[in-house]
Amino acid sequence: MDDPGSSTHNKVVAGHISGNVVQAGVVESVTVVAAARPRDEVEAVLEVVAGLSGDLWQRTSHTWEIHPEAPVRVSWSRDDELSVEDERPLLSEPVITRLYEDLFVREGLRQVILVGEAGAGKSSAMHLLYKKALDERADKGDPRAPVPLWLTMSDWDPASLDLTAYAVRELLSLPGLRRRDGLTRRMAELLVRRGRIALFLDGLDEMPTGLRAKAAAQVNRATHGGTRVVVSTRPGKRGGDKDIERFRWPEVVRLNPVDVPTAVEFLLHKQTGQDRPAWRELADYLTANPDSALAKALRTPLTINLIRHAFPHAGSSQEKPLDLVRDGLDTPAKITTRLMGLFLDRAYSTEGVTGRFRRARKTAQHARERATLAWLARRLGAKRDIAWWRIPLEVEVESLRVKSALLVAVPVLAVVLAGSAVFGWPEPWGLAAVPVGVACLVTFRIVPRAVLRAPATLAWTGPSPADLRHTTRVWLLGGLLFGGMAVVSSGNWWAMVAIAGMFVVMGLLGAGYGQGVSGGLLGSATRDLTDSPSVTPHNAFRADRRRTVVAAAVGAVAACAMCAPLGLFDDSVASGLVWGVGMGFTGGWVSGLGPAWLLVVARPSFKGPARPYRFTPTLRSALDKQVLRQAGLVYQFRHAELQVYLQRSG
């Protein structure tokens, strides 16, 4: 929705980065590694990184149309020459090739700074240059060519994490990376420090003002070490370039506002048949009135693409592009707002849906989705990022408690009833309801804490020495203590062995609980996803949902191991197993409960003709319709103006 040929304006990656600054001592260790690493091994690892980087680009860009054409003219200014104002070529394949050659082929220190207003296509240009670097490396088969790596600057804190550490962290979190691929932390540091990785840094202007100077200093340091860097940013207020001046070796590429002749050229592009007269009428008006509100509104690829989407059948429809003038819209802001509304109407239209019943159902669903998006926009306020795992925080907690309790209590009740029917009912029979009550109470208590958790995934790496020490402590303190009590009370040594073994299992598994309990396999394998900027929102949602299911299953296993041996005292091992499964499922589920399952049961609360819709399908549908864009783990509205429009229309 950014320009007629390049509707991709999304960030590929974004994430919350935390960690320590890589110390100077790392350089020495990298030098040792470099001497020990055969060249073939380094090239093999770099080839793996190139493949993963290409896969990431394909996955994050597959919903957007990317073409090397945009209605924007670019101008250069290098550190070693003055810009030529007369030379303003269109952003196209030759321009991308020139950018690639300046960055990767030209000798010397290279920093390419892409500057443009909101909607000018900076991220689109970076996407195209990023893809060009991947294609050139693959076509020429040059293993020495740097591999591009996309990083986002909005959440990077250069005061606590240097650029090399940030890039290494991103490399190690590439989706699809396997242990046998050979990309260790030391190898990643080697690739970054030796300039084998080219860094694409998106959104300098989105950093806090006080951090930009530090970020530029670290970029200069990396460039001096041989790293190629691309940075995108908006021009400073009142046309100032203070941020750009902080770079030592910049090649500034400006994406200029669209002039009227260029806008006319792209508005008429591929307009044929009965549609062309309506667009020709608009072109004639813009040419005759270059200072009109409509001409001023159509100064970015974003608005040009919007108007093309707003009137897809201008020839056969009663609505014409020039109606924007006839309707009395006398400011660029009003025209942009109208274009946003028309774009949403087209995105959520039922055109092509056959059947009266299906059309009515689809219309109602679209109205509910738009109402839910408007609710989200209002909740965001001035913020841009839709962190999906924070959405449950905006929902009434009592509603979450009730729905989550039902989600846990129903399977627990099914297990207890089925087990009691097979192995015999307890006396009194009402005891079968105890696990269900416990499940509801525990869920009610844990939900307010669970909504504060970040999405997580499981990365199986095996128990660390700390985990093994944790297991030993659990076994010694719990197993021997309770096992000794069992021997004293019953004289059954087998009961002691069983109970001690049960505590070993619980300690090794982490008691079946994920983020709530440290130690054990599950605890050590649980990894926070907010510091993995390469993961898409949908992948993070699925990973967190899967982690909760695994935690529940492991919790059931651990509780079975705990409850079944207790049955040795009264010869009711089967009853212990049944109760163990029910209680273990409850403990594992609620202790491992993550935001993904809370988002499934969460619903917005608002009044209006359209009822709220489920969040997950609403977000996915809006992404497919290009109403939202992906930015790492978060979603964003396609443009700030669209977010403002929904806030006002809700």
Side-chain angles (χ1 to χ4, degrees), residues 67-80:
H67 302 289
E69 300 290 340
V72 58
R73 295 190 178 275
V74 301
S75 57
W76 267 263
S77 63
R78 291 176 177 167
D79 55 318
D80 57 354

Side-chain angles (χ1 to χ4, degrees), residues 522-599:
L522 201 60
S524 65
T526 300
R527 181 168 62 86
D528 194 329
L529 283 176
T530 54
D531 58 2
S532 300
S534 297
V535 182
T536 63
H538 183 60
N539 289 342
F541 175 85
R542 295 177 60 184
D544 188 80
R545 185 176 57 184
R546 182 170 57 249
R547 180 195 56 79
T548 301
V549 172
V550 172
V554 173
V557 171
C560 281
M562 181 181 72
C563 294
L566 298 179
L568 293 172
F569 297 114
D570 56 5
D571 297 326
S572 182
V573 178
S575 177
L577 283 171
V578 172
W579 280 55
V581 171
M583 300 301 290
F585 178 84
T586 300
W589 183 269
V590 299
S591 293
L593 186 63
W597 283 103
L598 291 175
L599 189 65

Side-chain angles (χ1 to χ4, degrees), residues 397 400-409 412 433-451 453 513 582-593 598:
V397 68
L400 279 180
R401 279 176 162 175
V402 172
K403 294 176 181 178
S404 299
L406 291 176
L407 191 66
V408 178
V412 170
V434 171
V436 180
V438 171
C440 292
L441 291 175
V442 173
T443 304
F444 262 68
R445 183 175 180 81
I446 204 70
V447 162
R449 301 177 184 177
V451 296
R453 290 175 179 168
Y513 307 141
M583 300 301 290
F585 178 84
T586 300
W589 183 269
V590 299
S591 293
L593 186 63
L598 291 175

